[in-house]
Amino acid sequence: MVYVTSWDEFVERSVQLFRADPHSTRYVMKYRHCDGKLVLKVTDDHQCLKYKTDQAQEAKKMEKLNNIFFTLMARGPEVDLSEVTGKEQIGTQTSKRGRGRKQ
């Protein structure tokens, strides 16, 4: 069990772990409200990576990691991840346009 201190390193190593063995890799989130701590764990039963934080700002990063894993699971481990965040940001910006009173 390895606690990774850098978020970018955790994401990179987690994606590598999933791509190496997608059928046995698991992703687990654990949140303790009384402590305000969030622990993310990615394992394939041979190697275990953990990331622990108590910062509320890191929740957005967790959502991005969820989107990465959903994309990898749905499209396959060979998918290009550079398009995952770009399309979603463009889609949310255009959907807000035009809301309001017409003149």
Side-chain angles (χ1 to χ4, degrees):
M1 194 170 357
V2 177
Y3 276 99
V4 181
T5 56
S6 168
W7 174 257
D8 294 329
E9 181 184 355
F10 176 73
V11 171
E12 182 179 328
R13 289 178 64 181
S14 298
V15 170
Q16 289 174 356
L17 191 64
F18 181 83
R19 285 184 169 165
D21 192 6
H23 296 290
S24 66
T25 302
R26 296 184 309 278
Y27 170 55
V28 180
M29 292 177 285
K30 180 178 174 183
Y31 178 70
R32 288 184 46 108
H33 182 69
C34 60
D35 297 336
K37 292 187 180 180
L38 174 70
V39 177
L40 305 174
K41 179 171 103 172
V42 179
T43 183
D44 66 350
D45 292 331
H46 300 290
Q47 186 177 6
C48 181
L49 303 171
K50 282 189 166 187
Y51 180 78
K52 180 170 46 172
T53 185
D54 58 355
Q55 301 294 319
Q57 302 153 345
E58 306 239 337
K60 290 287 183 186
K61 292 180 180 179
M62 182 199 62
E63 289 179 23
K64 289 182 182 180
L65 183 64
N66 283 344
N67 289 338
I68 289 171
F69 274 110
F70 289 152
T71 303
L72 287 170
M73 291 175 192
R75 296 184 188 173
E78 293 82 24
V79 70
D80 181 21
L81 293 176
S82 63
E83 63 186 32
V84 173
T85 56
K87 286 183 178 178
E88 293 172 1
Q89 291 174 349
I90 292 170
T92 57
Q93 289 174 355
T94 57
S95 65
K96 291 181 180 179
R97 182 178 291 166
R99 291 187 183 184
R101 202 174 99 198
K102 290 186 180 180
Q103 296 180 2

